Amino acid sequence: MFWKITLLVVASIQITFCQNVSGIMLPTQLLMGAGTSAYQVEGAWNEDGRGLSIWDTFVHDYPEKIEDHSTGDVASDTYHKTKEDVALLKNIGFHFYRFSISWSRVLPKGFENEVNPLGIAYYNTLIDELLANGIEPVVTMYHFDLPQTLQDLGGWTNPNIIKWFTNFARILFENFGNRVKSWITINEPKQLCRFTYAKGLIAPGLVSEGLGEYLCIHYATLAHASVYHLYSRRFRRSQNGKVGLTIDGSWCEPVDKKERDAASRKIAFDIDMFANPIFGQLGGYPDFISKFIGYKSKLEGYTESRLPKLSPEQISYIKGTADFFGLNFYYTTLAKSGPSTLLNTKDMDVEDLPEPNPIKNVNESIKLAAIGFRKVLRYVKTKYGNPEIWILENGFPTTEDSGLDDQSRISYFKNSIRSVVDAINKDKVNIRRYTVWSIMDNFEWNKGYTVRFGIFHINFTDPSRERVPKASATFFKTLLATRTLPTE
C-alpha cells in the first residue's frame, strides 16, 4: 500500500454471523492470510543476478524523498529467511501467504530473453516450502517494482508495456503455475499511476498530472486484460487457477449533505476508474469520468481528451477479465468540492479534509473506518453484480517506537471484523479471503521504516532482523485456533 500518515486504516474479513457466549464464530470456509511485497521485505537487492528496479534507483539517487532516508537494500531480509518466515505463517495458522515476485529478480533486464535461474529457484523454494507446510501461495505479479530498464523506455506510459508485462506473466505461469492457483496481476493501479506518474511521491517519482497518469491507467488496464486472456488461452485448462487484480477501495464521505457530488466524484476516480472497465455492465471508463476529463481538456486548449479513449474492441477485450474482485481497504476520507489536494487527481476537484489520525486518534479513526468499509463492500456488491471479493490488504499503522503491545491494532481488527459481519449477513456481500498487512514490519515506501504495519516486530538496525511477535500476532493465532472473534 501507499501510506499517508493522516489517513486512517481499516481491516476486513468475511464472517458468517453466529453469536455464542464467547464471541462470533468464523465460518469454516473463511480463508485468512498475510501479505508482503517483494521490494518491501526481500532485501538482497544486488544478489544472485537480480537487476535494478525503479525503487533501487529511487532510494539511492533521491534519499531525501524517503522520510528517514532509508532503503530496501536489506529490508526484512526475507530472501535469506524463507524457512523461518514460513514457520511464522504456519505457527499463526494462516491459510495462505500473499507475496509478490520481483520482476527484476526473474528478468534482470525486464525482457523475456534473459531469465535469471537463481531468481526462479528462489521463488520455487518459497512456493514449495509454503505448500509443504499447508499454506497456499497467492502471487502478485506487479507490486510497484518495475525493472529500471523498462522505466528508461517510459515504463507504464509506453504501450509496449502491455507486451512486456504479458511476457513476464508467461514466464511466471510456465515456471510456477503448476503450483500457484491464485494470481494477482497488478496491485493498486491507482497508486501505481497517480502517485508515480502524476504526483511524483513514489518511484519513479515523475510529475505529469492529467497526462502520464492517464497513459499509465490506460496501458495498465490493457496489460492486465492481456495477461488474463493469456492465462485463459494457454494455461487455465491445465493449471485451473484464478486471475484478478487488486483495487484500492478507499471510501469517501461528504463533509455535509451539500457535498455528496464531491464524495461521489472521488469514489468514481478512486474505484470506478479501475473497476468499471472490468466489472461494469457495459465496461469502459465510467461515462461521467470520460466526459468530465474531456470537458476539462478542451478548456485547457487540448484538441482531444487527455484520457485515452478505449475503442469498442478494447472495451470488449477488457470486460470480464477477472475471476475475483481484489480489494485493498485502508481508510475513509471526508471531502468537499475544491482544488484537488495532494492524493487526488487534478481533474477530481475534490478537497480532502483532515481525518482522524489513526496513531493519535485511535478510537475515532477506527470507528469512521469501520463505517466506511461496510459501505464500500455494499457499493461493490450493488454496482458490480456481487462479485467474489478477496480482501488482499488491510492493516493498522503504528510508529517505529510503539513497542510490542499493539492494543490499538487489535482493537482495529476487532471493530473491522464486526463491520464486515454486517456486510456479510445484512448486505449479503460475497467475501472469500482476508489478508493481514503485514506479517512483519517492512519498508513502507516513502515513509521508510517510520511507520510499522507488521504483527511481527523487526529492529532494522539489528543485522539479524529477528522477528518478534507483537500482541496482534497472538490475537490472530488465537482467532484462527478458536475460530472465535471476541466481542469485548
Side-chain angles (χ1 to χ4, degrees), residues 59-133:
V59 298
H60 293 144
D61 291 356
Y62 306 102
E64 71 280 3
K65 294 190 176 183
I66 310 302
E67 187 163 308
D68 57 2
H69 292 197
S70 62
T71 75
D73 291 358
V74 179
S76 311
D77 200 25
T78 61
Y79 188 78
H80 299 107
K81 293 178 175 288
T82 299
K83 287 185 178 292
E84 178 181 343
D85 291 337
V86 172
L88 295 181
L89 293 160
K90 183 177 182 179
N91 181 261
I92 297 296
F94 287 124
H95 303 110
F96 65 88
Y97 176 45
R98 180 199 172 191
F99 64 94
S100 74
I101 290 180
S102 166
W103 193 335
S104 298
R105 198 176 294 285
V106 172
L107 304 179
K109 295 182 179 178
F111 300 103
E112 81 279 11
N113 66 313
E114 185 177 324
V115 180
N116 178 19
L118 294 178
I120 296 293
Y122 166 68
Y123 293 111
N124 272 328
T125 298
L126 174 56
I127 291 167
D128 289 344
E129 186 69 15
L130 288 166
L131 292 172
N133 285 275

Side-chain angles (χ1 to χ4, degrees), residues 5-27:
I5 200 66
T6 59
L7 292 181
L8 50 103
V9 190
V10 71
S12 54
I13 275 187
Q14 177 195 7
I15 296 174
T16 299
F17 188 80
C18 179
Q19 186 75 43
N20 66 12
V21 293
S22 57
I24 300 171
M25 298 299 296
L26 304 184

Side-chain angles (χ1 to χ4, degrees), residues 150-258:
L150 302 186
Q151 183 57 49
D152 292 341
L153 298 174
W156 290 95
T157 65
N158 184 332
N160 286 304
I161 194 71
I162 300 169
K163 174 176 60 180
W164 300 334
F165 185 58
T166 304
N167 287 333
F168 172 51
R170 176 180 54 79
I171 298 295
L172 302 189
F173 292 146
E174 289 173 346
N175 283 276
F176 311 123
N178 61 330
R179 289 154 293 154
V180 175
K181 306 303 177 184
S182 298
W183 295 97
I184 302 151
T185 56
I186 295 171
N187 181 73
E188 296 180 339
K190 180 184 81 175
Q191 281 81 341
L192 160 63
C193 298
R194 185 181 301 169
F195 300 156
T196 59
Y197 292 97
K199 301 295 186 177
L201 298 174
I202 58 178
L206 303 180
V207 178
S208 180
E209 289 199 78
L211 293 169
E213 170 186 7
Y214 296 148
L215 288 173
C216 173
I217 291 171
H218 191 70
Y219 298 133
T221 302
L222 287 165
H224 158 79
S226 177
V227 170
Y228 183 90
H229 286 299
L230 170 69
Y231 190 77
S232 294
R233 186 173 65 251
R234 292 186 51 184
F235 299 98
R236 188 180 297 276
R237 179 174 295 181
S238 62
Q239 297 183 359
N240 195 31
K242 291 186 176 183
V243 178
L245 83 168
T246 300
I247 295 170
D248 171 28
S250 57
W251 187 248
C252 183
E253 288 286 297
V255 65
D256 57 45
K257 292 181 179 180
K258 292 183 291 186

Side-chain angles (χ1 to χ4, degrees), residues 305-481:
S305 176
R306 289 180 276 102
L307 176 66
K309 185 177 181 180
L310 288 170
S311 69
E313 293 77 18
Q314 288 173 325
I315 290 173
S316 178
Y317 183 74
I318 297 165
K319 187 175 180 297
T321 55
D323 300 316
F324 56 86
F325 192 117
L327 184 71
N328 295 351
F329 188 87
Y330 280 96
Y331 52 84
T332 298
T333 60
L334 303 174
K336 67 176 183 178
S337 295
S340 293
T341 42
L342 181 62
L343 299 187
N344 294 336
T345 183
K346 75 167 194 167
D347 292 312
M348 194 185 296
D349 291 342
V350 173
E351 179 183 352
D352 287 335
L353 301 182
E355 316 86 17
N357 186 308
I359 293 174
K360 296 180 180 179
N361 306 99
V362 174
N363 293 332
E364 186 180 357
S365 68
I366 288 174
K367 180 180 178 181
L368 183 58
I371 292 171
F373 188 67
R374 182 181 172 189
K375 289 187 177 183
V376 76
L377 289 171
R378 185 167 54 210
Y379 182 85
V380 170
K381 179 210 169 186
T382 302
K383 190 173 183 68
Y384 296 114
N386 201 19
E388 180 176 310
I389 296 176
W390 293 9
I391 306 303
L392 290 167
E393 281 185 31
N394 139 266
F396 190 84
T398 56
T399 60
E400 72 274 20
D401 58 356
S402 56
L404 302 178
D405 189 23
D406 55 345
Q407 293 300 317
S408 59
R409 183 174 284 115
I410 293 172
S411 176
Y412 153 78
F413 284 129
K414 288 180 180 178
N415 280 273
S416 298
I417 292 169
R418 287 304 304 268
S419 72
V420 178
V421 168
D422 288 336
I424 295 299
N425 293 283
K426 297 179 181 180
D427 305 326
K428 308 302 179 186
V429 181
N430 182 20
I431 306 172
R432 298 292 179 175
R433 293 181 187 249
Y434 165 73
T435 312
V436 177
W437 188 271
S438 171
I439 184 63
M440 66 189 74
D441 291 339
N442 54 47
F443 179 83
E444 190 53 43
W445 308 119
N446 66 337
K447 290 295 178 180
Y449 301 107
T450 65
V451 173
R452 306 299 185 99
F453 280 89
I455 63 173
F456 282 83
H457 174 269
I458 295 179
N459 177 359
F460 291 101
T461 64
D462 180 357
S464 71
R465 298 299 198 270
E466 180 184 4
R467 284 83 162 107
V468 181
K470 302 177 186 178
S472 55
T474 302
F475 167 78
F476 275 105
K477 183 177 175 64
T478 302
L479 178 67
L480 286 165

